[in-house]
Amino acid sequence: MDIVILPALSDNYIYLARDPASGAVLVVDPAEAAPVTEALTARGWRLDAILNTHHHGDHIGGNAALKSRYGCPVVAFHGDRGRIPGIDIAVGEGSSYKFGSEMISVIETPGHTSGHIAFHLPATGALFCGDTLFSLGCGRLFEGSAAEMWASLCKLRALPEHTQIYCAHEYTLSNARFALSIEPENPDLRARAEAVRHLRDQGQPTLPSTLAQECATNPFLRADQPRVAAALDMTGAAAAEIFAEVRRRKDYF
Ligand code: ZN
Ligand code: FE
């Protein structure tokens, strides 16, 4: 699939993905409808599906307008029927959703919200992870425990390392400052922070990143690394507890 990045609201990204063989287009987390319809119209594309990672307004705000304009189905978590209006295709852990020539698989990733899901496109090598995994960060724990979020991140971490990571927000620069407070000497992190600063200076998105890059630099994915444990004076503690401490520090950073 070909992926288009659309900035929306203050720091959201909406993603379009188009199957070149069929011309079918899906949108992930339309925060608002206008940037989506503009991008589709400019390219002469139609819209064939709306995918939502979770129920927050900055991820579903454009659903109703897009659905009524294009008549396309909404694909979202079955447990969130009560708070994502108009779900047509309800999915959950292990669901596969065939879209054009791509088989999209659903991974439940509770923590930010209890019904958060991620969409993995193995043939494209892309992951739409909403507000679960950010580049150099992770989502706030609104409806889940640290242990749940850690388990969700471990599921994502098990995907192929070349997987391209498409997060729903541009938080990378501020995340980099926090990550450096945990691992100031990590050479991969220092290089990534520098690259991110450069991209943002030029007004460019810092996404997608790759899973390999996140595993090397994202402190939330590195809670089971001895160096992170040592930096927090938590050597020997369980990874979920170290993760919880990293998350707590970020909340007050
Ligand atoms: Zn959210
Ligand atoms: Fe969000």
Side-chain angles (χ1 to χ4, degrees):
M1 307 260 278
D2 299 324
I3 297 171
V4 177
I5 305 180
L6 305 175
L9 303 179
S10 58
D11 52 30
N12 279 75
Y13 287 128
I14 302 171
Y15 297 108
L16 299 179
R18 180 174 181 270
D19 174 40
S22 62
V25 178
L26 62 78
V27 64
V28 182
D29 285 354
E32 46 184 349
V36 178
T37 52
E38 276 162 33
L40 292 168
T41 305
R43 291 167 174 79
W45 293 355
R46 60 176 195 261
L47 186 64
D48 301 280
I50 298 168
L51 275 56
N52 294 133
T53 61
H54 65 296
H55 73 283
H56 285 158
D58 61 314
H59 299 257
I60 68 168
N63 275 22
L66 292 171
K67 186 174 172 175
S68 79
R69 175 159 177 167
Y70 296 98
C72 58
V74 171
V75 182
F77 180 56
H78 59 75
D80 274 346
R81 280 193 183 281
R83 47 190 194 177
I84 299 179
I87 296 180
D88 300 288
I89 300 173
V91 296
E93 180 72 22
S95 295
S96 297
Y97 174 60
K98 176 111 169 85
F99 189 82
S101 50
E102 185 97 32
M103 201 52 117
I104 300 174
S105 56
V106 174
I107 305 168
E108 289 183 16
T109 56
H112 176 68
T113 69
S114 58
H116 198 296
I117 57 175
F119 298 98
H120 181 221
L121 284 56
T124 299
L127 177 74
F128 297 106
C129 48
D131 290 356
T132 294
L133 174 61
F134 293 126
S135 185
L136 300 179
C138 80
R140 277 180 186 273
L141 303 178
F142 288 124
E143 298 178 355
S145 65
E148 274 178 300
M149 185 60 129
W150 172 244
S152 294
L153 291 174
C154 286
K155 280 159 117 179
L156 301 184
R157 200 173 63 163
L159 295 172
E161 64 169 17
H162 60 76
T163 305
Q164 304 228 276
I165 305 297
Y166 291 89
C167 326
H169 290 272
E170 180 59 72
Y171 291 157
T172 319
L173 189 59
S174 61
N175 285 344
R177 283 187 208 108
F178 173 74
L180 283 166
S181 78
I182 303 285
E183 283 195 285
E185 306 302 333
N186 178 332
D188 296 314
L189 173 57
R190 292 168 69 125
R192 171 75 173 144
E194 192 53 45
V196 163
R197 203 169 300 124
H198 190 66
L199 284 167
R200 294 311 292 151
D201 282 347
Q202 297 182 316
Q204 297 294 314
T206 61
L207 304 170
S209 64
T210 66
L211 189 57
Q213 208 167 22
E214 294 305 321
C215 287
T217 56
N218 185 326
F220 296 95
L221 290 185
R222 294 170 59 74
D224 53 358
Q225 293 289 316
R227 277 193 214 157
V228 171
L232 300 179
D233 267 328
M234 292 181 74
T235 297
E241 268 159 40
I242 295 170
F243 170 82
E245 176 60 19
V246 178
R247 185 60 259 179
R248 205 159 22 239
R249 289 189 184 202
K250 177 70 164 67
D251 289 341
Y252 297 101
F253 187 67

